[in-house]
Amino acid sequence: MVTQPGSAVRRAAGLAIGIIVLLGCFISSIRYGFVTVSWSDTWGALSGSNPESMEQLVVKTTRLPRALIAAAIGASLAMAGAIMQAVSRNPLASPSVMGINAGASLSVVTAITVLSLTNMSVLTWFSFGGAAIAAAAVYVLGSMGREGLTPLKIILAGTAMSALFASFTQGLLVRNENGLQDVMFWLAGSIAGREQSMLLAVLPYMGTGWIAAMLLSRQLNILVMGDEAAKGLGQRTALVKLASGLIIVALAGGAVAVAGPIGFIGIVIPHIARSMIGLDYRWLLPYSAVLGAILLLGADLAARFVIMPEEVPVGIMTAIIGAPFFIYIARKELTSK
């Protein structure tokens, strides 16, 4: 797939504009909330001019880590969704629909309520393990039958596994009421109260996933043509799918470990990115990362004002945005067949 020079310039300009919007959302996330922080205090917190200022302390310990976490998780979930849609060739594929988030959540809830584990590094590996098990289970179930893996079968398998994992999670919480309060807000999907150390625990895995996804982008361009066409062009499709699965587990598992199962970003953002720049994954993945970060930062900012002084979990805000979009895409796919 060759990108024309003029097209590349337009896409680069669009990406630059997206980054500027992302910076605006990032700064707004730092400044606004129950307490609005002035420009001087915002800059002072970032430059460390007055460590005794209460406003600057709020920015350093709460607002800045929260904004960084929102940007990283939004980018990770959007990229994971874009890769899943390429591998499955299904426009409805995403970590939330395919059971990846539910599997990671069940694993983390088990670690917290049954094993009484609280160390973030340990919980991160539980999240990765749950995401990997869910991905493998969905792939195996979706591949059964003479037709092999089909877009419809993999969605049905993902829906079934999501329901199963959610039932197991609820069962654990019912049997362990002491752990209910510890995980309920997390299960709704939230970045409130998350510390910077939590992001640092998963950032190496997320960062590796981001870089690996970009390195794999050319192969994804070939894979979306179909397995037969990709094999005809000499691609080792099984290896590409395995690498894609590992990237998805790293991105989605890391996101769930920090913020819980935040849904719909992986569905909404890749479609918006495609409408802007087309199907070239060399551009689609960075666009998805930037737009995903913008969406989660914006949703988190809106969540602070809905029922102020309380906050709505950001997972609810993304569901409000994403659910109608999911229905629209599903209806569009059904009517096109």
Side-chain angles (χ1 to χ4, degrees), residues 164-249:
L164 180 63
F165 291 142
S167 297
F168 285 158
T169 300
Q170 295 300 320
L172 285 174
L173 295 177
V174 168
R175 292 181 60 86
N176 191 334
E177 295 182 2
N178 293 331
L180 182 61
Q181 295 299 322
D182 296 333
V183 299
M184 187 55 69
F185 198 71
W186 174 85
L187 280 174
S190 176
I191 58 176
R194 303 303 193 263
E195 299 177 356
Q196 189 167 325
S197 59
M198 300 176 72
L199 175 62
L200 294 177
V202 301
L203 192 58
Y205 310 108
M206 284 185 173
T208 301
W210 298 336
I211 296 171
M214 292 307 304
L215 294 175
L216 200 65
S217 59
R218 291 181 180 271
Q219 299 301 319
L220 291 174
N221 282 340
I222 298 173
L223 187 63
V224 294
M225 299 178 185
D227 286 357
E228 295 301 323
K231 290 177 182 178
L233 292 172
Q235 184 182 83
R236 300 169 65 181
T237 56
L239 185 61
V240 173
K241 289 180 180 180
L242 176 61
S244 299
L246 292 175
I247 293 170
I248 292 167
V249 167

Side-chain angles (χ1 to χ4, degrees), residues 70-322:
I73 289 176
S76 296
L77 291 175
M79 292 182 77
I83 295 171
M84 291 185 75
Q85 290 170 17
V87 173
S88 66
R89 296 191 298 278
N90 191 315
L92 297 178
S94 75
S96 56
V97 175
M98 304 295 285
I100 309 296
N101 286 357
S105 298
L106 172 60
S107 185
V108 172
V109 169
T110 301
I112 294 174
T113 60
V114 177
L115 304 178
S116 301
L117 298 175
T118 57
N119 184 277
M120 188 61 199
S121 297
V122 176
L123 292 178
T124 299
W125 283 105
F126 269 86
S127 183
F128 289 151
I133 292 171
V138 170
Y139 184 82
V140 170
L141 288 175
S143 301
M144 290 181 175
R146 285 180 292 180
E147 296 180 355
L149 186 67
T150 65
L152 177 59
K153 285 166 62 179
I154 199 169
I155 284 293
L156 292 175
T159 302
M161 294 307 298
S162 294
L164 180 63
F165 291 142
S167 297
F168 285 158
T169 300
Q170 295 300 320
L172 285 174
L173 295 177
V174 168
R175 292 181 60 86
N176 191 334
E177 295 182 2
N178 293 331
L180 182 61
Q181 295 299 322
D182 296 333
V183 299
M184 187 55 69
F185 198 71
W186 174 85
L187 280 174
S190 176
I191 58 176
R194 303 303 193 263
E195 299 177 356
Q196 189 167 325
S197 59
M198 300 176 72
L199 175 62
L200 294 177
V202 301
L203 192 58
Y205 310 108
M206 284 185 173
T208 301
W210 298 336
I211 296 171
M214 292 307 304
L215 294 175
L216 200 65
S217 59
R218 291 181 180 271
Q219 299 301 319
L220 291 174
N221 282 340
I222 298 173
L223 187 63
V224 294
M225 299 178 185
D227 286 357
E228 295 301 323
K231 290 177 182 178
L233 292 172
Q235 184 182 83
R236 300 169 65 181
T237 56
L239 185 61
V240 173
K241 289 180 180 180
L242 176 61
S244 299
L246 292 175
I247 293 170
I248 292 167
V249 167
L251 296 178
V256 171
V258 176
I262 297 176
F264 294 104
I265 291 178
I267 294 178
V268 173
I269 293 302
H271 284 281
I272 295 176
R274 283 192 198 93
S275 69
M276 297 172 66
I277 49 88
L279 299 175
D280 189 345
Y281 271 77
R282 294 173 298 176
W283 291 99
L284 183 62
L285 288 175
Y287 263 79
S288 294
V290 171
L291 293 174
I294 291 173
L295 175 59
L296 194 54
L297 281 167
D300 180 54
L301 188 60
R304 304 176 193 179
F305 294 95
V306 174
I307 54 172
M308 188 180 280
E310 301 295 328
E311 290 191 15
V312 175
V314 72
I316 296 176
M317 297 301 298
T318 58
I320 292 173
I321 297 170

